[in-house]
Amino acid sequence: MSTWSGERDSVLLPLLMIVMALLLSACAGADPDPAKGGAANPTAQPATSPSPTPTPPPSPTASPTPTTAAEIAEAVNHWYAYGGETAMVSLIKEAVKAQAGRPRGELETVTVDFGGLMEALSTARVFRSLPDPKTGTAWAAAIEHLDEGAREVLDALPKDRMILTPGETGQVLRGWNTYDEGLKSLKATQARLDRTFGLKPSPDPWEAR
C-alpha cells in the first residue's frame, strides 16, 4: 500500500515542477510595464505629426498711383477714352437741360425735372476717380455740388400747392446757388482736360441743344 502511494507522489511531483516551470517562464517573458509593450499592445496607435498650418495666399498688389507727368497723362487719356468723356458730356448736357426749370421771376411758374441729371450723376460717380489730382478735384466738386443743389431745390418744393413760402423760396435760391458752383466746377474740369491734356469733346456739349 505504502509502495504504491510513494510511486504516485513521485510521479505527481515532477509533473507539478514542470507546470510551475512553464508558468514561471511565461511570467518571465511578459513585460510588466504595458507602456513598454510596443507591438505587443494591440491598442497602441501609431504616432502622427500635427497637420501643417496652411499659409495664407499673398495679398494682391495694388496698381501703383501715377506720379510722373507722363504716367498721369497716360492714365487721364485712358480714363477719358474708356468712359470718362461720355460721362462728362452726359453730365454737361443734363445739367444745362435741368436749368430749364429755374425760375426767372418771383411769380413765374416752372416745371422742375432733375430725372436726367440724376441718371447722369450716377454714371459720373462710376468715373469719379479722375487720375490727375487738380482735374479730379474739380470733377469731384462738380458732381457733389450739382447733386447737393438739385436735392436742395427738390426738397423745398411743396407737393400740394403752387405758391412757395418765404422759407421755401430761400431754400430754392440756396439750392440753385450750389448748383451754379457745380456748373463752374464742371466747366473747370473740361477746360483743364483741354488745356493740359488736349482732350476736348466735339461738338462742344455746352453749346449743343
Side-chain angles (χ1 to χ4, degrees):
M1 186 71 174
S2 59
T3 303
W4 181 85
S5 296
E7 291 178 354
R8 181 182 179 186
D9 292 342
S10 63
V11 173
L12 291 175
L13 182 58
L15 290 176
L16 289 174
M17 292 178 65
I18 294 172
V19 172
M20 289 295 293
L22 292 174
L23 290 175
L24 290 173
S25 63
C27 292
D31 193 336
D33 188 356
K36 299 178 182 178
N41 187 354
T43 60
Q45 299 293 329
T48 57
S49 58
S51 300
T53 303
T55 303
S59 301
T61 304
S63 300
T65 302
T67 54
T68 67
E71 291 174 344
I72 291 174
E74 182 181 0
V76 170
N77 275 274
H78 187 275
W79 175 88
Y80 193 82
Y82 290 92
E85 178 188 14
T86 301
M88 184 184 68
V89 168
S90 175
L91 186 56
I92 291 173
K93 289 181 177 180
E94 293 300 334
V96 172
K97 187 187 302 183
Q99 290 194 107
R102 190 170 189 163
R104 305 301 174 186
E106 292 185 1
L107 299 178
E108 183 181 2
T109 302
V110 295
T111 301
V112 178
D113 183 8
F114 288 128
L117 175 69
M118 292 303 174
E119 291 182 6
L121 283 170
S122 295
T123 303
R125 290 188 191 96
V126 176
F127 297 93
R128 187 184 183 95
S129 299
L130 206 164
D132 176 58
K134 291 183 178 180
T135 314
T137 298
W139 175 240
I143 295 172
E144 179 182 354
H145 289 145
L146 288 172
D147 180 75
E148 182 182 346
R151 293 184 186 280
E152 193 169 10
V153 170
L154 289 174
D155 289 343
L157 299 179
K159 304 297 186 294
D160 54 355
R161 50 190 165 81
M162 299 290 294
I163 305 301
L164 277 66
T165 66
E168 291 168 342
T169 301
Q171 182 175 336
V172 168
L173 291 176
R174 288 193 300 273
W176 283 116
N177 287 337
T178 303
Y179 195 88
D180 287 341
E181 293 300 317
L183 292 175
K184 290 178 183 178
S185 295
L186 196 53
K187 289 179 179 179
T189 301
Q190 182 187 356
R192 182 168 173 80
L193 286 172
D194 181 13
R195 183 176 61 254
T196 307
F197 303 101
L199 301 173
K200 183 176 181 179
S202 181
D204 187 349
W206 294 100
E207 300 175 358
R209 291 292 183 270

